[in-house]
């Protein structure tokens, strides 16, 4: 099994450029299904989940090619949907990446039919899609479920007023995309406000869609008869940026992330400051300096602009060596403390009960062999723990980290970490 070998205790220092956001790139690529033609994307991260989405588009009949950077041009992912015509999302790829469910709405909107398999549960907890399906039904889709499959069809979707029970990121994206080609106006209320939704709105507008309100809790879409392809640069990954800053904090070092939108990171920066980090914000850059042991800090995950669940595990790692006791509450996913068991092997004092973790800070963690489960953020948290720990840590299961972090080991090496892949 692949893994990371880390010799801990190196103080990280330096600057790292952040890539395009995984959680923006995936729905952006799904949106290409809405129009036939050639799309060019810049700043697409080269990570496993993007490769899976590219493979799904190929299996649907699209062409996807990566053009590496040249002297006068940035790297590009070129997606040609001219001959895309299949409407069944392959089950094996759907299983590999549950968020591929967001293809259902675009396929249905453009071709009037789609089939997906049911995403089921996963390591971070159940991944329900009831809000996706209820919303598509409200847009006039006829949906049948059975034997683990979902069949959807509609002649032409029609606009509707939809109120989401919870501000789901995926359901908001799904319904925005489906509604772009519907007849009439769709209003999505209690919509998710994550910056990735604004990034999707920007692409959809460039494609000729009439959408506004992304970033607020009400998104309004006026359907148009057809859309055209467009070019787009993926927004910076605020979760990757937060992970690097936390790596700096865990090693009591000084790390700068560049190419970020600092405003997207304010919920995380607030908590890092509370934990004792010195943070400087400039245009497109954030610098963190952590002078000594962090101060115990309570965190509760919330939809944006609250503290992101995707940085909860890395923050939990930081709290393992804090002075004092912190309480971490996870409100988004039902099972996102699996990493605690592995951190305990490294000497952490964490008690978990349901969606709460109580962390009593210890002076230091010690290296051990630990296993990343299927949650890429848990995997990243273990890498951070290894960087801060005394001695050698082996993190098994590097594959899951590759789902969302591009060349993590090399980039940490660039900051002075002693880490290699095996
Ligand atoms: N929910 C429902 N019904 C639905 C959909 C969601 O009850 O139909 C609930 C979920 O159970 C959860 C909450 O709503 O409790 C939020 O789920 P959401 O739909 O917002 O999550 P998602 O769209 O499936 C995206 C990210 C996740 C991230 C969450 C929350 C992508 C591809 N994934 O998932 O990212 O944790 O939003 O911010 O955008 C990760 O990158 O590690 C990751 C898991």
């Amino acid at each position: 099994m692949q893994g990371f070998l880390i010799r801990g205790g190196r103080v990280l220092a330096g600057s790292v450029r952040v890539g395009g956001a995984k959680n923006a790139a995936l729905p952006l690529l799904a949106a290409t299904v809405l129009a036939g033609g050639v799309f060019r994307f810049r700043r697409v991260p080269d990570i496993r989940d993007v490769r899976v989405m590219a493979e799904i588009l190929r299996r649907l009949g699209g062409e996807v090619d990566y053009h590496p950077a040249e002297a006068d041009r940035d790297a590009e992912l070129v997606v040609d949907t001219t001959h895309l015509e299949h409407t069944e999302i392959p089950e094996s790829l759907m299983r590999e990446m549950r968020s591929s469910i967001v293809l259902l709405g675009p396929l249905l909107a453009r071709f009037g039919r789609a089939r997906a398999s049911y995403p089921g549960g996963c390591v971070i907890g159940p991944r329900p899609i009831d809000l996706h399906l209820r919303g598509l039904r409200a847009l006039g889709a006829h949906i049948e479920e059975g034997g683990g499959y979902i069949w959807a069809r509609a002649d032409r979707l029609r606009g509707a007023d939809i109120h989401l029970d919870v501000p789901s990121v995926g359901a908001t994206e799904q319904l925005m995309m489906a509604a772009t080609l519907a007849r009439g106006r769709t209003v999505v209320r209690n919509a998710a406000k994550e910056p990735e939704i604004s990034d999707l709105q920007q692409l959809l507008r460039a494609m000729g869609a009439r959408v506004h309100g992304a970033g607020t809790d009400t998104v309004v879409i006026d359907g148009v008869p057809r859309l055209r392809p467009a070019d787009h640069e993926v927004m910076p990954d605020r979760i990757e940026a937060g992970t690097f800053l936390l790596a700096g904090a865990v090693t009591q070092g000084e790390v700068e992330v560049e190419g970020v939108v600092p405003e997207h990171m304010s919920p995380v920066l607030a908590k890092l400051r509370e934990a004792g980090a010195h943070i400087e914000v400039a245009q497109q850059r954030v610098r963190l300096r952590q002078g000594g042991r962090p101060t115990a800090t309570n965190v509760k995950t919330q939809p944006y602009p609250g503290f992101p669940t995707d940085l909860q595990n890395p923050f939990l790692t930081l709290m393992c060596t804090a002075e004092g006791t912190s309480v971490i509450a996870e409100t988004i996913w039902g099972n996102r403390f699996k990493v605690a068991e592995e951190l305990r092997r490294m000497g952490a004092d964490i008690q978990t009960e349901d969606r709460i973790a109580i962390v009593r800070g210890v002076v230091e963690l010690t290296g051990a062999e630990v296993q990343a489960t299927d949650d890429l953020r848990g995997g990243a948290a273990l890498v951070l723990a290894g960087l801060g720990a005394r001695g050698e840590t082996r993190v098994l299961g590097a594959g899951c980290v590759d789902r969302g972090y591009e060349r993590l080991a090399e980039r940490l090496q660039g900051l002075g970490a002693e880490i290699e892949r095996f």
Side-chain angles (χ1 to χ4, degrees), residues 22-23 128-131 168-170 310 332-333 336 377:
K22 167 179 90 81
N23 290 345
I129 54 164
D130 54 317
L131 302 177
S168 154
V169 176
D310 295 341
I332 310 293
W333 299 115
R336 221 171 192 186
R377 310 303 176 186

Side-chain angles (χ1 to χ4, degrees), residues 187-204:
V187 182
V188 182
R189 300 180 198 278
N190 197 25
K193 296 183 280 201
E194 270 67 2
E196 289 74 11
I197 293 175
S198 305
D199 206 30
L200 176 63
Q201 171 172 283
Q202 201 182 320
L203 172 69
L204 292 173

Side-chain angles (χ1 to χ4, degrees), residues 22-24 26-27 49 99 124 126-133 166-171 173 192 194 196 238-239 303 308-310 331-334 336 355 375-377 403:
K22 167 179 90 81
N23 290 345
L26 297 172
D49 275 5
S99 55
I124 62 177
R127 300 292 289 262
I129 54 164
D130 54 317
L131 302 177
H132 297 239
L133 300 187
V166 293
S168 154
V169 176
E173 293 163 345
E194 270 67 2
E196 289 74 11
R238 62 197 169 97
I239 304 299
T309 170
D310 295 341
T331 74
I332 310 293
W333 299 115
R336 221 171 192 186
R355 293 185 177 212
D375 182 3
L376 75 143
R377 310 303 176 186
R403 284 184 40 210

Side-chain angles (χ1 to χ4, degrees), residues 27-36 39 41 57 79 81 110 203 207:
L28 291 168
L29 291 173
T32 63
V33 163
L34 288 165
F39 294 72
F41 292 98
L57 292 174
V79 182
T81 52
R110 169 118 182 270
L203 172 69
M207 292 168 67

Side-chain angles (χ1 to χ4, degrees), residues 239-317:
I239 304 299
E240 185 185 80
T243 307
F244 280 116
L245 290 182
L246 278 155
V250 163
T251 63
Q252 299 183 13
E254 189 163 348
V255 165
E256 180 183 77
V257 286
E258 50 169 311
V260 298
V261 180
E263 190 197 329
H264 294 168
M265 302 182 63
S266 69
V268 177
L269 300 184
K271 284 293 161 185
L272 284 168
R273 283 195 178 105
E274 202 179 321
H278 179 77
I279 303 277
E280 275 171 51
V281 175
Q283 218 187 1
Q284 301 187 357
R285 284 168 198 270
V286 176
R287 176 180 281 273
L288 168 143
R289 184 162 41 81
Q290 179 81 41
R293 273 179 75 187
T295 313
T297 302
N298 299 338
V299 159
K300 185 177 190 174
T301 64
Q302 299 264 277
Y304 190 84
F307 188 93
T309 170
D310 295 341
L311 283 174
Q312 180 262 101
N313 279 187
F315 200 86
L316 178 71
T317 294

